[in-house]
Amino acid sequence: RYVSGFAISHECLLEGGNIQSALMEVHGEQEIPGFRHSGEEFVYCLQGKLRLTVGKESLTLNPGDGASFWSRYRHRYESEMPADSPTPTRILMVWFEATEEPQARSHDDECETD
């Protein structure tokens, strides 16, 4: 059984730079818990089907679809692929870490109940 999470993570190497990126794999019926942090985020679906939830709004991203959002709103990722699918949902995430705000980098239990 596979576990959802970062496959590759890239820290910004530019002096004073703030952009970070990661390749994430999300497997069927395994959601990534809701988080919020400072800055903004862009997610692009490379493979599979992704349910992106930001606050109380959800949308499905298919390969080639992307979305941008303010990271200060709780957000989470879920695969919409069948649990027994050998193909994970693969996404590219790019985010900008701004000055930290209250609630930054915190797990958001509300995200699990919305």
Side-chain angles (χ1 to χ4, degrees):
R1 182 171 164 110
Y2 295 99
V3 176
S4 298
F6 287 151
I8 301 171
S9 181
H10 297 282
E11 297 291 323
C12 185
L13 298 178
L14 297 174
E15 186 176 330
N18 294 307
I19 294 176
Q20 298 180 53
S21 62
L23 177 65
M24 178 180 278
E25 290 186 351
V26 186
H27 296 270
E29 295 185 3
Q30 294 180 28
E31 78 176 51
I32 302 301
F35 285 90
R36 59 174 126 199
H37 53 88
S38 302
E40 59 185 287
E41 198 161 323
F42 169 76
V43 62
Y44 183 82
C45 184
L46 299 166
Q47 171 182 295
K49 278 186 150 180
L50 178 75
R51 176 177 298 276
L52 169 64
T53 302
V54 180
K56 294 182 180 187
E57 300 292 321
S58 291
L59 64 131
T60 298
L61 300 178
N62 292 295
D65 294 339
S68 297
F69 55 93
W70 295 111
S71 303
R72 68 178 169 261
Y73 298 109
R74 64 183 180 273
H75 53 282
R76 68 178 174 194
Y77 306 108
E78 298 170 83
S79 176
E80 289 197 339
M81 299 296 288
D84 60 353
S85 174
T87 304
T89 295
R90 187 170 286 145
I91 59 174
L92 171 66
M93 300 166 51
V94 179
W95 66 96
F96 169 78
E97 292 285 340
T99 303
E100 295 297 341
E101 301 169 353
Q103 301 293 325
R105 294 186 176 274
S106 63
H107 173 75
D108 191 346
D109 293 329
E110 271 186 285
C111 200
E112 294 178 358
T113 61
D114 284 346

